[in-house]
Amino acid sequence: MEMATATSDPSSLVRLNIGGRKYCTTIDTLTRREPDSMLAAMFSGRHTVHEDSKKGFVFVDRDGKHFRHILNWLRDGIVPVLEDEQYPELLREAEYYQLLGLVEGLNAFSSKRKEDLDLKDDHKAELTRTDIIKCIQSERVRFRGVNLSGLDLSKLDLSFVDFSYACLRNVFFSRANLQCAKFKDVDASGSIFHNSNLRECEFTGANLRGALLAGANLQSANLQDACLVNSSFCGADLRTAHLQTADLTKANLEGANLEGANLKGAKLSGANLQGANLQRAYLRHVDLRDAHLVGAKLDGANLLGAIRGNT
């Protein structure tokens, strides 16, 4: 493996090895459409990349399954049509490469698709987005136990709303203001909270399996006993959050800020904590087996009784 500085010539060919899958593209493709992305930064000519000395491939340690869709987006700017279960997978890759345009496009496409499906579904949400907007104009709004599955509630002010025990599967909450909202024991599996304000929210006992919370503000939020398996908190703000006995198995917490968070007894096996800030976090009896901790900050963290395993 050699260290090489990527050329800034737009027409230069680049050979990529993404988790074992080989791709060939150009500097222009990787840098033009999303100039603020990680890929653009890697091949801007300002950074050193790791290149295979024999075959000349730049290796990136990610699942290469969906990288062809990443390249097609960078070439054409068209959101791909995928099977429903593939959208969260591609969204995670777009978040990793910091392709903000693709992230927004996928969120919008998924939201529209869910709305179309709702019209055909006998078990569609009990209320519409318009109904929600009318309701939140009054005080002490409650949607306790209501089925709101698949609704687009993005960019709404839903602060202090009580969603306890509601069915919120695949709800689109991107960029919504949900400060101090209550989500006790909700089923919000697969929901999207991308860049939303969830400060001081209550998620005790909630099911957030596979949910996307990248870039969300969760300062002082209460997620005790929540199911957060395979959820994405990439770049989220979780300072002083309460995560006691939460299940974060295989969750993506890369670059998340967990300073001062309480994770006593939480399950973090297989979780991605690369570059995460865990300074002064309470990690007693946490299961960290097979967790990825490269670049994580652990200064002042309490790790007494933690199960470390291979990290």
Side-chain angles (χ1 to χ4, degrees):
M1 190 72 71
E2 289 184 349
M3 306 286 283
T5 301
T7 177
S8 58
D9 181 0
S11 63
S12 295
L13 287 178
V14 178
R15 294 177 175 82
L16 297 169
N17 180 347
I18 312 296
R21 298 197 183 198
K22 307 293 179 62
Y23 296 90
C24 187
T25 185
T26 65
I27 295 289
D28 184 59
T29 295
L30 294 171
T31 59
R32 176 172 46 85
R33 186 172 301 280
E34 300 259 17
D36 297 322
S37 70
M38 187 185 82
L39 290 170
M42 284 176 64
F43 296 98
S44 64
R46 303 189 305 270
H47 300 281
T48 300
V49 294
H50 296 276
E51 187 176 288
D52 188 308
S53 57
K54 294 182 180 179
K55 299 182 181 178
F57 282 90
V58 176
F59 180 73
V60 179
D61 190 13
R62 296 292 294 181
D63 188 343
K65 176 182 177 182
H66 295 299
F67 195 73
R68 67 186 183 92
H69 299 307
I70 298 287
L71 287 180
N72 286 336
W73 161 260
L74 292 172
R75 290 165 180 149
D76 307 321
I78 298 173
V79 176
V81 178
L82 305 170
E83 297 295 328
D84 288 346
E85 66 273 10
Q86 293 180 318
Y87 282 103
E89 296 173 4
L90 181 56
L91 187 57
R92 288 191 183 93
E93 296 307 301
E95 289 173 351
Y96 175 80
Y97 294 114
Q98 299 172 19
L99 300 166
L100 300 184
L102 180 54
V103 168
E104 291 292 333
L106 286 168
N107 285 337
F109 191 89
S110 295
S111 177
K112 179 63 168 62
R113 185 173 176 81
K114 288 167 191 169
E115 288 181 359
D116 292 342
L117 289 173
D118 279 345
L119 295 175
K120 303 174 184 178
D121 190 355
D122 291 336
H123 303 288
K124 63 182 180 180
E126 298 172 47
L127 298 172
T128 65
R129 178 183 173 91
T130 302
D131 293 331
I132 300 296
I133 292 172
K134 290 178 180 178
C135 288
I136 61 179
Q137 293 172 356
S138 61
E139 295 182 1
R140 300 190 64 180
V141 182
R142 294 183 180 182
F143 297 111
R144 293 169 67 93
V146 178
N147 181 5
L148 301 175
S149 296
L151 284 187
D152 178 2
L153 302 180
S154 61
K155 302 179 182 179
L156 295 181
D157 185 356
L158 299 165
S159 53
F160 297 94
V161 172
D162 189 350
F163 292 99
S164 297
Y165 314 107
C167 183
L168 304 173
R169 287 194 295 266
N170 301 311
V171 173
F172 188 34
F173 284 112
S174 184
R175 301 183 189 278
N177 178 13
L178 292 153
Q179 182 167 344
C180 296
K182 293 182 179 180
F183 294 92
K184 180 178 173 63
D185 291 317
V186 300
D187 181 0
S189 53
S191 287
I192 297 171
F193 293 88
H194 182 255
N195 283 345
S196 58
N197 179 11
L198 294 161
R199 188 165 182 160
E200 299 179 31
C201 280
E202 181 184 354
F203 281 98
T204 52
N207 178 13
L208 288 160
R209 182 184 291 268
L212 296 166
L213 298 103
N217 181 353
L218 287 142
Q219 285 187 54
S220 302
N222 187 351
L223 295 108
Q224 292 185 59
D225 300 314
C227 175
L228 306 169
V229 176
N230 287 318
S231 54
S232 175
F233 292 88
C234 186
D237 188 347
L238 288 149
R239 284 177 290 174
T240 66
H242 303 278
L243 291 148
Q244 297 96 308
T245 64
D247 190 349
L248 286 146
T249 302
K250 295 184 179 179
N252 182 8
L253 291 143
E254 183 169 358
N257 189 349
L258 290 140
E259 184 173 356
N262 187 346
L263 292 105
K264 182 179 179 181
K267 296 177 182 178
L268 283 159
S269 56
N272 181 7
L273 289 156
Q274 296 184 66
N277 181 6
L278 290 158
Q279 292 176 309
R280 292 177 291 283
Y282 195 77
L283 299 166
R284 293 190 66 173
H285 306 294
V286 169
D287 185 352
L288 288 166
R289 283 175 292 190
D290 298 316
H292 305 282
L293 289 161
V294 177
K297 299 177 182 177
L298 291 161
D299 302 333
N302 185 336
L303 287 156
L304 185 65
I307 306 170
R308 301 293 292 271
N310 296 322
T311 57

